[in-house]
Amino acid sequence: MVITALVVAVLGCLFILFIGGRFLVAPALATAGFGVAEDRRRAFTSIKGVRDITSGIVPLVVLLVADPHVFGWALLAAAITPIGDAVIVVTNGGTLRQALGVHAATALVLVIAGLVLALG
């Protein structure tokens, strides 16, 4: 039963990676598949809000059920989000100051803390 659950969970993770990639390379198709129109700003700000809440909860769950070493690896993985956000800001009319001051700074903190915990 555990093996089956692991296989299903890994397949789910791979599928959500595919869906995330599709939002980057085929946004119209991905938006239609998600179920909201591309011009619905509120839907996308809600998606961002839920994603950010999840980004905070998942590493905390890892810390609660594992040790700080594993938490560090989770933080390193989580750094992908603010790195991507920084790229999105600078490639969509935002300022480099905002991209670096908010998103890249967040990524840097996650990477440093993650490395200290993962390798310490």
Side-chain angles (χ1 to χ4, degrees):
M1 186 61 92
V2 171
I3 298 292
T4 301
L6 280 170
V7 168
V8 169
V10 168
L11 289 174
C13 290
L14 294 173
F15 186 65
I16 201 67
L17 288 169
F18 165 77
I19 290 171
R22 188 172 69 163
F23 267 97
L24 295 175
V25 300
L29 180 65
T31 304
F34 187 80
V36 297
E38 279 186 84
D39 62 349
R40 300 300 304 259
R41 179 187 299 204
R42 182 64 183 135
F44 289 98
T45 59
S46 296
I47 291 166
K48 166 109 171 70
V50 170
R51 184 203 67 177
D52 285 353
I53 290 167
T54 301
S55 294
I57 289 173
V58 169
L60 290 174
V61 169
V62 170
L63 178 60
L64 288 172
V65 300
D67 59 41
H69 171 80
V70 177
F71 180 54
W73 288 110
L75 293 179
L76 286 170
I80 293 168
T81 299
I83 291 167
D85 290 348
V87 171
I88 291 166
V89 167
V90 297
T91 59
N92 285 279
T95 66
L96 184 60
R97 179 179 182 189
Q98 186 78 9
L100 295 177
V102 175
H103 306 293
T106 300
L108 183 62
V109 168
L110 288 172
V111 167
I112 291 170
L115 286 171
V116 168
L117 292 168
L119 302 176

